[in-house]
Amino acid sequence: VQLVESGGGLVQTGGSLRLSCAASGFSFDEYTIGWFRQAPGKEREGLSCIRTRDGISYYKDTVKGRFTVSKDNAKNTVYLQMDSLKAEDAAVYYCAASRAWPGPTTLNRYEYEYWGHGTQVTVSS
């Protein structure tokens, strides 16, 4: 099983980034893929998730309207489009796979079986 994040980098405040999560080694369309982030000294925070079979998604309130999760089943890849980035969005971003249905509980890291190694997002003012 492998989840590989990419697309992180340095962006100015107000800018955009699109993160990718490429999955392999498991039945992609049987899982929900979640996006999390962790800033230094803080807990890992669930942001959004999407059920790959039908695109049902869920967002944390603090990113709703700025972040958009999407999927490409042909590529076994999930994306996180991040717009209007703020300094507080700087963190390591992770994707993870869960068999749970998208919803409030699926922003809990303990719902997830498989994790990627993360990609760094830095936001400069």
Side-chain angles (χ1 to χ4, degrees):
V1 173
Q2 197 170 24
L3 294 167
V4 180
E5 302 93 339
S6 62
L10 175 65
V11 63
Q12 289 190 326
T13 302
S16 298
L17 280 176
R18 188 177 81 156
L19 306 183
S20 299
C21 172
S24 61
F26 63 96
S27 298
F28 183 74
D29 63 357
E30 294 181 6
Y31 281 76
T32 291
I33 303 297
W35 284 100
F36 293 76
R37 68 185 178 193
Q38 189 167 17
K42 294 191 176 181
E43 298 269 327
R44 191 166 297 190
E45 172 188 25
L47 304 173
S48 180
C49 56
I50 186 167
R51 198 163 103 115
T52 54
R53 176 168 296 181
D54 50 22
I56 293 173
S57 59
Y58 188 82
Y59 294 89
K60 184 170 185 174
D61 284 346
T62 53
V63 302
K64 201 177 293 184
R66 293 195 301 127
F67 291 9
T68 305
V69 65
S70 62
K71 64 182 183 69
D72 184 338
N73 288 50
K75 296 181 179 179
N76 280 12
T77 299
V78 169
Y79 304 98
L80 185 69
Q81 176 69 38
M82 306 188 295
D83 299 318
S84 303
L85 283 163
K86 307 174 183 179
E88 53 263 42
D89 293 318
V92 178
Y93 282 69
Y94 300 89
C95 65
S98 168
R99 289 186 179 272
W101 188 277
T105 60
T106 338
L107 296 185
N108 183 331
R109 60 181 296 185
Y110 298 106
E111 292 284 341
Y112 287 79
E113 299 176 45
Y114 308 122
W115 288 85
H117 292 292
T119 185
Q120 178 73 50
V121 171
T122 304
V123 184
S124 67
S125 56

